[in-house]
Amino acid sequence: MARIRVLAAEDSPTVRDLLVSVLQSDPEIELVGVASDGKEAIELCAAHRPDVVTMDMMMPVMSGLAATEHIMAYSPTPILVVSSSFNRGELFKMYDALVAGAVDVLEKPSGREPEGEWERKFLSTVKLVSRIKVITHLKARSRPAATAATTGSIRPSSSRVSLAAIGASTGGPGAIVEVLRGLPADLGVPVLFVLHINPQFGHAFADWLDAQTAWRARFAIEGEPLSAATGQVVMAPPGRHLMLKDGRLRLDDGPERFSCKPSVDVLFESVAAASGGSTVAALLTGMGRDGAQGLLAIRQAGGNTIAQDEASSVVYGMPREAVLNGGAGRVLPLGEIASAITAAVRGARA
């Protein structure tokens, strides 16, 4: 079996030495290069075409973010961001890197972990990331017209569509930004959103998302009425499920669903029970199957449902499960999902 070819980019000699040592200790991995700045990472990636790049964000000459943008535009490669979760500026750059095409994040070792724990997690994450078939991200290049096929149609509804619900995982930060930028700010409905992100990295995500579009984004508040979220994106906070019950948002500390907390299924199923046909829901890119059962529940309750298509997904896992179980009323490329949500809301009102 061919070994996984890895390029490590890290400017700290201490952390760099650790990465090199851990990667070289695994017989399934071949370390093909080590970069100490973003420019060198780009050059080594082009020369060696690794299966995975581990990328620090804060590097001299060229930042990890700039290197990620260039690599994903010109030589797409699965990128694992290895970063600190304490510095707010670094967190924002990490979110930007996820939008640019990085597929996962891992916190740098703190030195307080049980012996060998971080090393095992690092190696397992590298191997997982290596299996993701990334797509070209076009921030540095011209975007061609979308050609993906669509299926189904917006379902006419006798009730007013008063709520949009969206779920995403791997590739989700970039996907939700594109959807929100396509939604009119005066749409007049709340957008409830669940994203799978490591809790240590998630605490600043709502603030970052708030700055990306005309929509106000924030974390949900326990017990607040749904009406208070009109015209806003309200997210499940890290490590808590978001639910809709009796017209109010609820934060739940129950068990994980499909190893996910927050879970898209928990949100979607609660929305199906509480809002039924007055909901339009979209399941975006992501690994696993979370959200598929919930999307089916919304469709069965009379709501409009959308799954992102394979060609535009970073990982075609969650949307694929929704297609297979019949939960997806439409299958659309990412660039058409905002228009479909808008049509569902405004068409139902008309």
Side-chain angles (χ1 to χ4, degrees):
M1 180 183 295
R3 293 194 292 172
I4 299 168
R5 304 173 73 253
V6 180
L7 167 65
E10 170 62 55
D11 74 316
S12 164
T14 302
V15 178
R16 188 167 62 241
D17 289 347
L18 174 63
L19 298 181
V20 168
S21 174
V22 175
L23 291 168
Q24 290 181 332
S25 72
D26 193 309
E28 297 179 14
I29 291 174
E30 177 186 358
L31 181 64
V32 298
V34 180
S36 59
D37 61 65
K39 182 175 182 293
E40 189 178 11
I42 290 172
E43 294 169 348
L44 291 175
C45 187
H48 297 292
R49 302 310 300 257
D51 299 313
V52 179
V53 177
T54 70
M55 185 74 74
D56 183 24
M57 284 291 95
M58 310 299 283
M59 293 191 292
V61 184
M62 179 182 286
S63 70
L65 171 59
T68 297
E69 291 174 345
H70 190 282
I71 289 170
M72 296 310 299
Y74 292 98
S75 53
T77 306
I79 293 177
L80 170 64
V81 175
V82 181
S83 186
S84 167
S85 66
F86 300 105
N87 182 286
R88 186 179 178 87
E90 189 166 352
L91 276 175
F92 276 35
K93 289 183 183 296
M94 184 204 74
Y95 301 144
D96 289 338
L98 291 172
V99 171
V103 295
D104 206 350
V105 295
L106 182 69
E107 190 170 24
K108 288 183 177 179
S110 65
R112 298 186 297 273
E113 301 90 354
E115 184 177 357
E117 181 180 280
W118 184 90
E119 290 81 357
R120 286 189 292 271
K121 187 173 183 180
F122 174 60
L123 290 172
S124 66
T125 306
V126 166
K127 293 174 184 179
L128 179 65
V129 168
S130 74
R131 298 198 293 268
I132 296 174
K133 295 182 178 180
V134 295
I135 59 178
T136 301
H137 284 251
L138 302 163
K139 184 169 183 178
R141 303 170 67 177
S142 298
R143 183 185 299 272
T147 57
T150 63
T151 64
S153 60
I154 291 295
R155 178 185 311 201
S157 175
S158 59
S159 61
R160 176 179 182 271
V161 172
S162 57
L163 170 65
I166 301 174
S169 185
T170 309
I176 189 61
V177 167
E178 182 160 345
V179 170
L180 292 178
R181 286 177 177 167
L183 290 178
D186 62 349
L187 191 60
V189 300
V191 176
L192 303 184
F193 178 49
V194 169
L195 173 69
H196 299 161
I197 190 169
N198 293 337
Q200 65 266 37
F201 290 113
H203 60 273
F205 187 83
D207 290 341
W208 172 85
L209 184 60
D210 185 68
Q212 304 304 308
T213 76
W215 285 75
R216 185 191 173 199
R218 61 178 176 85
F219 289 125
I221 300 170
E222 165 62 27
E224 67 176 310
L226 178 64
S227 58
T230 300
Q232 301 176 28
V233 181
V234 178
M235 292 183 58
R240 303 287 297 279
H241 295 303
L242 175 60
M243 304 173 64
L244 176 63
K245 186 174 182 180
D246 298 327
R248 294 184 177 273
L249 301 182
R250 299 295 181 184
L251 299 178
D252 182 75
D253 200 31
E256 296 177 344
R257 291 280 295 273
F258 299 113
S259 301
C260 299
K261 188 177 178 180
S263 162
V264 182
D265 268 330
V266 169
L267 172 63
F268 281 6
E269 289 170 3
S270 73
V271 165
S275 190
S278 64
T279 299
V280 55
L283 189 58
L284 306 181
T285 173
M287 189 176 298
R289 60 180 60 186
D290 185 36
Q293 293 178 3
L295 199 71
L296 177 60
I298 291 173
R299 190 178 190 192
Q300 290 174 335
N304 284 296
T305 58
I306 303 162
Q308 186 175 346
D309 74 350
E310 183 174 7
S312 66
S313 294
V314 174
V315 178
Y316 192 56
M318 290 157 46
R320 176 179 180 273
E321 293 296 325
V323 172
L324 291 176
N325 75 1
R330 304 187 78 192
V331 181
L332 296 172
L334 181 61
E336 296 181 16
I337 291 176
S339 295
I341 292 173
T342 303
V345 173
R346 292 183 169 169
R349 286 178 177 174

